[in-house]
Amino acid sequence: SKAYYNNGKPGEAFKWAKAAGEACEDIMAKSAPNYDDDGIPPNWYLPIVDCVLNNLRQAAYDSDKEAKSTMGMIMPTAGGKNQREAYDLIRAFLNLCNQKEKAVGERSKKMGTLFIVNHLFKLAIRINLLRGTALFIRSVDNPYFPSFDLFDKSQTVTYNYYKGRLNMMEENYIEAETCLDYALKHCHRASIGNKTRVLQFLIPLKLLKNQAPHKELFSKYPLQQYQDIVRAIKNGNLRRYNQLLRQYEDFFVSKGIYLLMVRLKRYVYCNLVRKVYKLNEKYKSSKPQLISLKVFRAAFKFHGVEVSEDNFDDIECIIANLIREKFVKGYLAHGRALVLSTKNDKFPEKSLPS
């Protein structure tokens, strides 16, 4: 299989990788579940299984890509026949790992569960088979699973990275952040590429919690799109933020975080309102906390947002949401103005400081 793959024949490579996978499955299935010899660990075959499944997954992806390219449909991320076959075969390995056995700890079949789940995560995201991923997570996150200390860091980091991504898709942002924090902390210090992949998902989650990345982060990792996004948020530059959403739309969509980036726009609105207040305070000595909606209309127009000349409904909706979410303290005088609180905390520290 490896020889065919290296010679640019992924279709043939997949056939042989699948045959090797089925042979490994047969060996694993026939291994006595209650056998545990002190001389030879009952799970001796797991490193071989990991190598075979890695070759199977890569060959499946490249052979599907080649087939679609031949048909004039270059869509490698849409999934294909071979990747689905690989997915089903690898799931069979997971079922074998979950069987009851006498061996425990490092000698258990469950020591193969983590790398098998990681292979399944990669395939599930690529071919959009996400419904079964909760079962994979339950296979690992249970009290009977061996301690993470027994596994290679590469396996635990990969598991938490993909678990974090899947939680983001389900909008479980707290759990997602916990997993991605783990992945970043335990990733090898020299793995700039892997750390960059983690940060591509972790930074939006931190921004959602009003935590801006340090400037040093952008000088160390290639994350230009987020550097631009953070700058636009801090400046309350709505025009620039909308431009960036369009400019990096393909990137954000490919990562499945476009809607999250749109959600961050409320921080831009908040800092824009803050800037309008500061200007109003500078040029209007009496009652600077009273800001006419006409001023906001001018500010939104300046940033390229189309607003009605007849009413202030769109502007009032944006400001009302900021008040409801406690980004701004004050109230709306319908059709007239935003009346901010007379206290110092008109803008609770929920938005990135401008």
Side-chain angles (χ1 to χ4, degrees):
S1 171
K2 199 69 175 176
Y4 278 116
Y5 187 84
N6 291 335
N7 288 324
K9 297 179 179 179
E12 289 296 320
F14 173 73
K15 292 178 183 178
W16 285 97
K18 184 180 178 183
E22 290 170 344
C24 285
E25 181 191 7
D26 188 55
I27 292 173
M28 194 169 176
K30 290 181 178 178
S31 63
N34 295 322
Y35 172 76
D36 190 7
D37 187 356
D38 289 336
I40 303 174
N43 60 1
W44 60 269
Y45 44 77
L46 289 181
I48 301 172
V49 171
D50 187 22
C51 181
V52 168
L53 295 187
N54 188 58
N55 291 340
L56 174 67
R57 181 175 51 79
Q58 291 180 347
Y61 168 70
D62 285 343
S63 59
D64 281 343
K65 182 179 178 180
E66 182 184 59
K68 290 182 180 183
S69 178
T70 302
M71 294 185 295
M73 301 188 326
I74 306 175
M75 297 168 59
T77 59
K81 178 177 177 294
N82 291 344
Q83 288 179 90
R84 291 177 183 273
E85 288 183 13
Y87 178 86
D88 291 337
L89 179 55
I90 297 175
R91 281 201 67 170
F93 280 92
L94 181 61
N95 293 335
L96 291 172
C97 284
N98 288 334
Q99 290 178 348
K100 291 183 178 180
E101 58 180 333
K102 180 181 178 180
V104 295
E106 292 181 279
R107 305 172 68 82
S108 168
K109 279 183 183 178
K110 287 184 171 58
M111 292 300 296
T113 301
L114 203 56
F115 71 72
I116 290 172
V117 166
N118 288 339
H119 287 306
L120 287 169
F121 278 161
K122 294 173 184 179
L123 280 169
I125 289 177
R126 189 175 294 280
I127 61 180
N128 197 27
L129 287 176
L130 303 178
R131 287 180 295 179
T133 54
L135 177 63
F136 307 155
I137 293 173
R138 285 199 296 271
S139 297
V140 176
D141 293 355
N142 68 73
Y144 304 104
F145 192 74
S147 169
F148 267 26
D149 294 336
L150 299 176
F151 295 88
D152 289 340
K153 273 290 184 284
S154 61
Q155 292 185 25
T156 60
V157 167
T158 301
Y159 172 76
N160 276 280
Y161 167 72
Y162 282 102
K163 183 183 174 185
R165 287 188 60 180
L166 291 166
N167 274 288
M168 283 186 73
M169 294 177 185
E170 297 292 330
E171 297 186 359
N172 298 325
Y173 295 135
I174 296 176
E175 179 67 18
E177 184 183 2
T178 300
C179 293
L180 292 171
D181 273 332
Y182 177 97
L184 183 65
K185 180 180 178 181
H186 293 89
C187 190
H188 194 281
R189 66 178 65 182
S191 298
I192 300 299
N194 287 338
K195 285 192 173 185
T196 300
R197 293 184 186 93
V198 175
L199 287 167
Q200 286 172 349
F201 297 95
L202 186 57
I203 288 176
L205 293 175
K206 295 295 186 182
L207 289 175
L208 198 63
K209 291 179 59 180
N210 183 32
Q211 297 175 7
H214 294 291
K215 292 180 180 179
E216 293 78 9
L217 196 71
F218 296 124
S219 61
K220 189 174 182 180
Y221 302 99
L223 296 163
Q224 182 63 47
Q225 58 272 55
Y226 292 112
Q227 186 175 12
D228 295 340
I229 285 286
V230 170
R231 188 180 295 117
I233 292 176
K234 286 187 174 184
N235 293 335
N237 194 333
L238 187 57
R239 180 191 293 273
R240 179 61 176 154
Y241 193 85
N242 287 333
Q243 288 174 347
L244 292 171
L245 285 182
R246 291 191 295 269
Q247 180 180 342
Y248 297 119
E249 180 177 359
D250 290 343
F251 172 81
F252 293 140
V253 170
S254 69
K255 301 299 180 184
I257 59 173
Y258 181 79
L259 293 179
L260 180 57
M261 301 310 296
V262 171
R263 189 172 175 181
L264 291 175
K265 192 183 289 189
R266 58 186 178 175
Y267 293 101
V268 188
Y269 288 139
C270 183
N271 280 328
L272 179 56
V273 171
R274 190 201 302 263
K275 288 178 70 176
V276 170
Y277 165 72
K278 287 182 178 179
L279 286 171
N280 202 53
E281 186 179 37
K282 182 177 180 180
Y283 295 106
K284 186 178 179 182
S285 57
S286 63
K287 297 184 178 179
Q289 73 276 10
L290 183 65
I291 309 173
S292 171
L293 293 181
K294 292 180 181 180
V295 176
F296 284 113
R297 180 160 61 192
F300 278 96
K301 274 193 171 184
F302 177 79
H303 284 281
V305 179
E306 292 295 330
V307 290
S308 174
E309 294 289 346
D310 301 325
N311 58 63
F312 298 101
D313 290 351
D314 294 339
I315 296 173
E316 286 186 334
C317 181
I318 292 171
I319 295 175
N321 282 328
L322 291 177
I323 294 172
R324 180 179 61 84
E325 295 175 4
K326 298 182 180 179
F327 285 92
V328 177
K329 283 191 175 182
Y331 64 90
L332 274 169
H334 178 58
R336 294 171 55 201
L338 165 64
V339 183
L340 290 169
S341 169
T342 56
K343 298 180 181 179
N344 292 329
D345 57 343
K346 297 174 179 62
F347 300 93
E349 292 303 320
K350 290 190 67 175
S351 59
L352 300 179
S354 56

